[in-house]
Amino acid sequence: MKYCLNILLLLTIGGTLSAQIKKETTIVKTSKVVMDQFMDLRFGMFIHWGPVALRGTEIGWSRGNQVSFEDYDQLHKEFNPVLFNAEEWVQSAKNAGMKYLTITAKHHDGFCLWPTKFSDLNIMETPFKRDVVGELATACKKHGLKFCVYFTVLDWHDPHYPYVRAGAKDINPTTDMAKFVATMKDELTEILTNYDPYMLWFDGNWDKEWTDAHGQEVYALLKQLKPDIIINNRLKGISDFDRTREDHTRLSPDAIGDYATPEQKIGAINMVHPWESCMTIGSQWSWKPNDEVRSTKECIQTLAKTAAGNGNLLFNVGPMLDGRIEARQINRLKEMGDWLHNYGESIYGTKGGPFIPNSTYASTRKGHMLYVHIFDRKEDVLTLPALKGVKVKKARVLNGDVITFSQNVTGSIALNLPAKLPNADDTVIVLELNKNAESIPVVAQL
Ligand code: FHN
């Protein structure tokens, strides 16, 4: 009898506690004003970096796979990137036209790029002994870039996490999620207190042991520490349905997190929920020797199609073991910046649509201006779908020559293209309309 009473008492306390967590963690979504400002930025730098650069394999994923546990877990003792220069990294991002920077403060291998008090696996345990996160935060704030932090909720190195490497099925005998979450909360408190990030990019939320309750608990702490901190959709525990899809493209309105995160692909047009595509400039997130680099055309058109879908692009570079970002990646980013120098008006602060992006063209808009991005000059005349009640008043190449056009009775717009497009990757034609372009509903293609 006494045993049953104890069980009943425990269940009651447990039930009350989880209700308490549930109640206390009411969802405090980031304000629309802050989210609109974030979405106006359109373009950010993603950086995946750590001691794994010494092996040139994928950060986290190669631990206990291509690189033995023993080897991987000693790399920090050799990590001495003496050519690291936060100002140079930030300048490269600015030269690319990027407006925010997101650094992997801690990835799945558990290595912390800042001098944390809550893990022995951190930058002060390397020959380098410099606060990489802190130096980047300072450089970003000095040069007007928003400083953002990537933080994993999956840590294969932490003895309290259930799995020790990618693909592991057996549960780590030292698992203790309560201790794991407590350490995470301490580390995140350090990051928010010491570096004041603009946004937190969570990742690794797919294991079933990382529950919605864990996500809610951490979210409540973050919003208590910094109410307007922007948080992506990868802090919340992932549902079984989404776990099978693993594409993070959905943002359920009632869930914690402010925006969806399609990965290695351009998200679908969405004028309601914010989203940001994350993509590698090569084939690997962290540095890979002789990796491919996406073409200039692909990079520029990816940025334009992302903005045309009403999304942001978080574009990733992987710095080398000596602390430099390799010249091929820097040069590609500079080419994106040169394009933005001429056509940035059609990206920053715009909304996507009203046309659904395709391989020939896409559109962005701001006030009475409609920007048509032309990726491929198939014909002398580009015919755009009719826009109900819309009259085009003027048309010109953005920062270029006037172009002639016609509108028929149905309202469809025929643009007479220049014989040679000024920019083969993406020439932008700006149409001045008789109404606010942002009020036009999204229309399907012809
Ligand atoms: O496992 C990570 C991967 O290493 C990388 O950080 C990407 C970036 O979005 N996120 C996870 C894979 O979805």
Side-chain angles (χ1 to χ4, degrees), residues 46 48 58-61 104 107-108 150 156 201 203-204 206 234 246 248 261 263 278 285:
F46 211 174
H48 278 66
E58 187 62 283
I59 190 166
W61 292 90
T104 52
H107 202 270
H108 311 330
Y150 168 111
W156 289 315
W201 211 97
D203 202 7
W206 44 78
R234 300 196 187 189
E246 279 192 2
H248 309 294
T261 52
E263 181 169 323
C278 56
W285 292 100

Side-chain angles (χ1 to χ4, degrees), residues 361-376:
Y361 69 88
S363 65
T364 53
R365 43 188 163 161
K366 186 168 26 185
H368 281 59
M369 299 302 169
L370 172 58
Y371 302 96
V372 182
H373 297 257
I374 300 173
F375 307 127
D376 185 5

Side-chain angles (χ1 to χ4, degrees), residues 91-148:
Q91 196 52 57
S92 299
K94 286 192 78 169
N95 293 344
M98 294 164 156
K99 301 298 181 184
Y100 59 104
L101 181 150
T102 306
I103 178 68
T104 52
K106 183 166 93 163
H107 202 270
H108 311 330
D109 58 11
F111 181 77
C112 299
L113 276 174
W114 81 100
T116 178
K117 293 199 279 300
F118 303 101
S119 166
D120 294 337
L121 191 62
N122 74 70
I123 196 71
M124 301 315 279
E125 300 304 316
T126 71
F128 192 54
K129 297 192 189 310
R130 276 167 48 187
D131 180 358
V132 169
V133 173
E135 291 184 32
L136 279 171
T138 303
C140 282
K141 288 177 173 100
K142 177 178 170 185
H143 294 285
L145 250 62
K146 297 293 188 185
F147 174 69
C148 309

